[in-house]
Amino acid sequence: MAINATIIRRSGEDFLNRFNKKPLVVRSPGRVNIIGEHTDYNNGFVLPAAIDKAIYVAVAAREDDEVKLYSVAFNESFETSLLQMEPTKKGWPNYILGIADQLKMNGYLLKGFDLVVDGDVPVGSGLSSSAAIECATVFALNEIFDLRISKLNMALMAQKAEHKFAGVRVGIMDMFASLYGKKDHVIKLDCQSLEFEYVPFKLEGYKILLLNTNVEHSLASSEYNTRRKQCEQGVEWITAHHKEVKSLRDATMEMLNQFVKPKDEIIYKRCKYVVEEKERLLSGCENLKNGDIEALGKKMFQTHDGLSKEYEVSCKELDFLVDEVRNNPDVLGARMMGGGFGGCTINIVKEEAIDDLIKEISAAYQKSMNKELTAYVAEIEDGTCVIS
Ligand code: GLA
């Protein structure tokens, strides 16, 4: 597995210096999503995978109720007590405190703990570093306190932790991908039943290239919650006529045209994107199973256009990066990935063309957007596990 030995050593040493004992180290990866964006909280399907960039937490139990945290990335400590779990203005501790709070709320008995968080998932890049911290924390606390929590319940608690402590009503995709990831496979997850299937991800001669806009997605949380509400509003208008429709998963274009379009054009556009994306994912997944990566790639461009023009969660930098590769024969597909308003595009690129593409597109991006681009070739890896 692609573990980052430098980070493991660093977080272990840091922990030893700070807390003077040997920790348990857990790795929990970031994720990519091939297709199926903003479908998870609409009870649709998603197609994510865990990657070779991860968060590492080093943890040990304490005898008292104190919680002592340190983030290597922010070079910052945070201290509180288990008896006083509430969100803080500081940001990063919330993902850890939110988990401790969930464990308490669900009746698990824990003591205080010391924890160092480190990692190489770029923060704010749409690779889901927050879910990775939550999953690493819940997995590690489950180990050291022998709580015997199933992976599915860990994912559900991590999702609730984010709702409550980060204030973003995220779906289940990121946590699920981080915990359940499997090397060289994507996860076809049904977000309604939570049943899933591992689909081999074979890209003969092609790789996943992530292009990070380095745009902070500051609008992301409030707009994310707004999109969720807009989808719920659309469903409500349909349910008034079709009781069986519980989410956009159950909705059809005819229903949208009949009950949503006349009421509100914007909500109609949002719902239309989701209903179309649901179908795109299902047929894109078949393309993948049949080895037709070209067809899958074309759908990724369509997803981008829907996210940009109808769901309106893109930004000029993401649109620029997708437009730059749209007619490049070495790029089979590209789109913005994750919540939106910044972060990365995901591209399926011919292996031998990657270096030149990175050079050209970085220069073009710098020239047109006056920003630096960061590029990563992502490998698909296993999900959360104990390292040492
Ligand atoms: C974020 C959320 C996910 C999902 C994506 C969009 O990553 O955390 O639950 O909704 O956005 O697909």
Side-chain angles (χ1 to χ4, degrees), residues 114-148:
D114 299 319
L115 185 150
V116 169
V117 54
D118 201 344
D120 57 5
V121 189
V123 174
S125 61
L127 300 181
S128 200
S129 57
S130 47
I133 301 183
E134 289 151 358
C135 294
T137 305
V138 71
F139 202 90
L141 295 180
N142 178 56
E143 285 288 321
I144 61 172
F145 294 116
D146 193 21
L147 304 175
R148 299 168 194 224

Side-chain angles (χ1 to χ4, degrees), residues 232-247 255 258-260 263:
E232 286 162 2
Q233 177 61 77
V235 172
E236 209 180 297
W237 287 332
I238 299 174
T239 312
H241 304 271
H242 289 273
K243 279 206 181 55
E244 72 283 8
V245 174
K246 304 268 186 288
S247 67
M255 293 174 183
Q258 207 179 343
F259 305 117
V260 182
K263 287 219 150 106

Side-chain angles (χ1 to χ4, degrees), residues 201-250:
F201 194 68
K202 285 195 229 87
L203 294 180
E204 305 298 333
Y206 286 82
K207 291 248 173 216
I208 296 177
L209 175 67
L210 301 174
L211 298 175
N212 188 351
T213 55
N214 289 315
V215 172
E216 286 265 336
H217 45 221
S218 55
L219 261 182
S221 350
S222 61
E223 287 295 317
Y224 187 96
N225 290 344
T226 304
R227 292 300 175 282
R228 216 180 146 149
K229 278 210 196 94
Q230 289 170 328
C231 292
E232 286 162 2
Q233 177 61 77
V235 172
E236 209 180 297
W237 287 332
I238 299 174
T239 312
H241 304 271
H242 289 273
K243 279 206 181 55
E244 72 283 8
V245 174
K246 304 268 186 288
S247 67
L248 285 180
R249 161 76 167 261
D250 311 320

